[in-house]
Amino acid sequence: MPRFIKDGLTVETSVPREAAELRAQGFTEQKAKTAAVKEADTAKPTQSDK
């Protein structure tokens, strides 16, 4: 699922209209598992952490 990032806020959506709105608002899209995406994924709490 594409991930959009702006000013420390991360939004994930696969809805094309939402993606277009986020791009228009200046969000940066990340589609691939880059190092930054992998780092953000590891920082997220998982169900087992709750």
Side-chain angles (χ1 to χ4, degrees):
M1 179 179 322
R3 179 176 291 173
F4 297 86
I5 300 173
K6 179 180 175 184
D7 300 329
L9 177 64
T10 302
V11 179
E12 292 182 350
T13 183
S14 59
V15 179
R17 181 171 287 184
E18 289 179 357
E21 290 175 6
L22 291 169
R23 284 187 209 100
Q25 294 173 14
F27 280 76
T28 304
E29 182 176 2
Q30 293 183 336
K31 293 182 183 178
K33 286 282 190 175
T34 62
V37 172
K38 288 179 186 177
E39 182 179 316
D41 286 344
T42 59
K44 286 184 184 177
T46 60
Q47 292 288 35
S48 61
D49 291 341
K50 292 182 178 180

